Each structure stands twice: as structure tokens, then as C-alpha cells.
Amino acid sequence: MATAKKEATIEELRQQLAGAKHLFFTNYTGLTVAEITRLRTQLRKDGNSYAVVKNSLFARAADADLKAAVEEFLAGPTGVVFAPNDPVSPAKALKQFSDDVKPVTIKAAYVDGKIYDLKAVAVLASLPPKAELQAKLLGLFVSPLRGLAGVLAANSSGFVRVLSAREKQLAETAS
């Protein structure tokens, strides 16, 4: 590979790394070009991207901390999922692709500055999406307030019913 082309590839990887908070390292051995394209399509649905990388160029593009953390996984054929937002969606996409099409070996994941193994990625894949978790948390916060509002409304409506019944009783007594 010519030096200019290598530098362009390194710069492109740097841009992808700058936009990605989470990385998933896979071994793409045994996948055809059509299957990799299908995986890329699946990952793009949630704003993620997948690239087959040359290990030495990826190491040069990564900053010192990232390089030190992932250096042991940069061996053999390596494909990287660049996930800018949610780490759950690429984990789910990789699991679904492995179940439906062909098994993809996940070497490791780099999520929020920490390295996770295959078991942790499987746990990530089993989690609901971030938006759903946020909605559930919001529901937990709102639930006691909704219950309090219901109790307060029930007490005041009960008081109004008691006054109305007493008014009817007094009206019947007067007539």
C-alpha cells in the first residue's frame, strides 16, 4: 500500500474513532462479501458502521489509551463496529446476524472506555434499547406522583359526594 494511501486510511480511521463512543472488534473469517454487506446494512439502521481494518493502521490511528486497551485484540482478521450512540444496538445487531445468517466471532467491545469480553457483549445484546430503559426509569419516577394525585383527587371527590349526600338528606328532612 502506498504511503499516501496509508495516511488517507489512517486519517479516515481517526475520523471514525472520533465519532464513535463504542467499538466492537470482530473476526470476519468465513464471511463472504455479501454477508459483510448484509451486516453493514443491519448496523446502519441504528447509525453504526462496520469496517474491515488493517491492524497496524488501526493501531496508528488510535490514541495511546485506546491502543493500549485494544492492542491484544488487533490480531488476525479484524472488523470493527463504530457505534456513535448506543452500545446496545450494535450488540443486538451482531447477535441477530450471528443467529440468522452466520456466526460472527466477537473478540471484544470497547464501551465507555472499558474493555468487555464476549459474555458482557451478550448481556448488552439482551438489554432493551436505551430509549426504552429511559422510558421505564421515567415511569418509575412518575408513578408515585401519579398515585399521590389519584389519592388526593379521590379524597376531594369523596368529600364532595359526602357534602352532596348531606345536602340531599337536609333537603328531604326539610320537605
Side-chain angles (χ1 to χ4, degrees):
M1 191 182 284
T3 304
K5 190 172 180 182
K6 284 182 182 179
E7 289 302 321
T9 303
I10 290 169
E11 187 54 38
E12 184 181 330
L13 283 170
R14 280 189 182 129
Q15 289 173 359
Q16 287 181 310
L17 286 170
K21 293 180 185 175
H22 318 290
L23 304 170
F24 292 80
F25 297 90
T26 66
N27 183 340
Y28 63 88
T29 302
L31 295 177
T32 64
V33 172
E35 290 166 340
I36 290 176
T37 302
R38 187 170 173 186
L39 176 59
R40 282 185 174 128
T41 303
Q42 223 172 348
L43 287 164
R44 277 191 202 116
K45 290 177 185 175
D46 295 315
N48 306 308
S49 63
Y50 184 78
V52 172
V53 298
K54 188 167 181 178
N55 296 328
S56 60
L57 296 181
F58 185 89
R60 286 179 55 190
D63 63 21
D65 294 336
L66 177 61
K67 182 181 175 183
V70 301
E71 199 165 28
E72 66 184 278
F73 307 110
L74 296 176
T78 304
V80 180
V81 177
F82 298 91
N85 302 319
D86 182 19
V88 174
S89 65
K92 283 183 180 291
L94 287 168
K95 182 178 181 339
Q96 183 179 1
F97 182 84
S98 290
D99 292 345
D100 297 346
V101 180
K102 195 177 243 182
V104 175
T105 306
I106 299 172
K107 295 179 180 183
Y110 183 77
V111 178
D112 292 329
K114 295 180 183 169
I115 294 291
Y116 294 97
D117 63 356
L118 180 60
K119 289 180 185 178
V121 173
V123 170
L124 267 179
S126 69
L127 290 175
K130 186 176 182 178
E132 187 178 328
L133 288 173
Q134 288 173 334
K136 285 181 179 181
L137 183 63
L138 182 63
L140 288 173
F141 286 136
V142 170
S143 180
L145 296 175
R146 186 176 293 139
L148 178 63
V151 166
L152 293 176
N155 285 341
S156 62
S157 66
F159 182 66
V160 169
R161 279 191 236 113
V162 168
L163 286 178
S164 176
R166 180 65 179 151
E167 180 183 11
K168 283 182 184 178
Q169 187 181 33
L170 289 176
E172 288 174 1
T173 307
S175 52

